[in-house]
Amino acid sequence: MAKYRLDEMDLKILDILIEDARKPYIDVAKALDISSGTVNVRIRKMEELAIIKSSAISVDYERMGYTFIAYVGIFLERNHQAEYVLEQLEAIPFVTEAHITSGKYNLFCKIRTKGVKHAKEVIYMIDDIQGVSRSETMISMEEAFNDKSRLLHKAFRELDLYDFLTTK
């Protein structure tokens, strides 16, 4: 297996893509004074190594009417039911995150709905899943920030000394 080491140019490309994943390669290349072919090759290599898994869009949920956020702690009848319950949660589009947790709850999820009445319906859907014994809900009064980009910039900077194994 060969090794691949992220270099400063890879990190600069990642910095630009973290801010705008849809930025055309030609614009990334111009910003870094390199060819678009170089950008393409480096991005493909990072995709092959699963450093970059996908690109995503960011939407304004409030403009779409999904203004209500709540967090639901889920208690299971039995711990081994977690995978089944997670599959059922994934089928509910208003459940936007789900985590297996330690502590008070077996599972913890985030829901996003159009309002209190809609949230109640979603919580009832969650409570109706076989294996869920009960749930507790916490309402988000306001999303203060939701910014993964700060962590990504920091994490990628820490990777520049890390060697990635390739299959070549």
Side-chain angles (χ1 to χ4, degrees), residues 7-165:
D7 65 12
E8 192 61 31
M9 189 58 64
D10 292 322
L11 295 173
K12 287 178 181 178
I13 291 169
L14 288 168
D15 280 338
I16 291 170
L17 294 177
I18 287 168
E19 295 306 318
D20 182 2
R22 294 180 54 193
K23 188 174 272 293
Y25 291 177
I26 189 79
D27 293 347
V28 174
K30 285 179 186 174
L32 299 175
D33 198 28
I34 58 176
S35 74
S36 59
T38 298
V39 172
N40 186 35
V41 166
R42 286 172 176 258
I43 289 173
R44 284 194 192 278
K45 177 55 79 176
M46 289 186 277
E47 288 171 341
E48 287 173 17
L49 297 168
I51 296 167
I52 298 174
K53 291 175 72 174
S54 69
S55 60
I57 63 169
S58 179
V59 298
D60 186 337
Y61 285 104
E62 287 196 21
R63 288 189 69 139
M64 296 169 38
Y66 288 88
T67 57
F68 190 88
I69 298 171
Y71 296 90
V72 182
I74 300 170
F75 297 90
L76 300 178
E77 292 170 0
R78 302 232 186 280
N79 286 332
H80 74 275
Q81 296 168 309
E83 291 304 317
Y84 172 79
V85 173
L86 286 168
E87 288 172 11
Q88 301 309 303
L89 289 172
E90 197 169 13
I92 302 171
F94 312 105
V95 177
T96 59
E97 289 182 36
H99 305 268
I100 298 173
T101 59
S102 64
K104 186 174 182 178
Y105 310 109
N106 300 103
L107 303 173
F108 196 75
C109 63
K110 177 180 180 179
I111 65 171
R112 192 178 282 271
T113 66
K114 291 190 173 216
V116 175
K117 184 177 179 187
H118 186 205
K120 183 175 82 170
E121 293 168 5
V122 173
I123 292 163
Y124 287 170
M125 282 189 248
I126 292 169
D127 285 342
D128 285 342
I129 296 171
Q130 184 179 353
V132 172
S133 66
R134 68 185 184 92
S135 66
E136 291 181 2
T137 304
M138 290 145 279
I139 296 169
S140 171
M141 303 302 282
E142 177 182 346
E143 186 173 63
F145 65 87
N146 183 349
D147 179 13
K148 296 176 185 102
S149 65
R150 293 175 299 119
L151 173 59
L152 290 175
H153 287 297
K154 172 108 176 90
F156 284 131
R157 288 288 164 221
E158 292 173 354
L159 288 177
D160 69 342
L161 298 177
Y162 190 87
D163 292 321
F164 291 90
L165 295 177

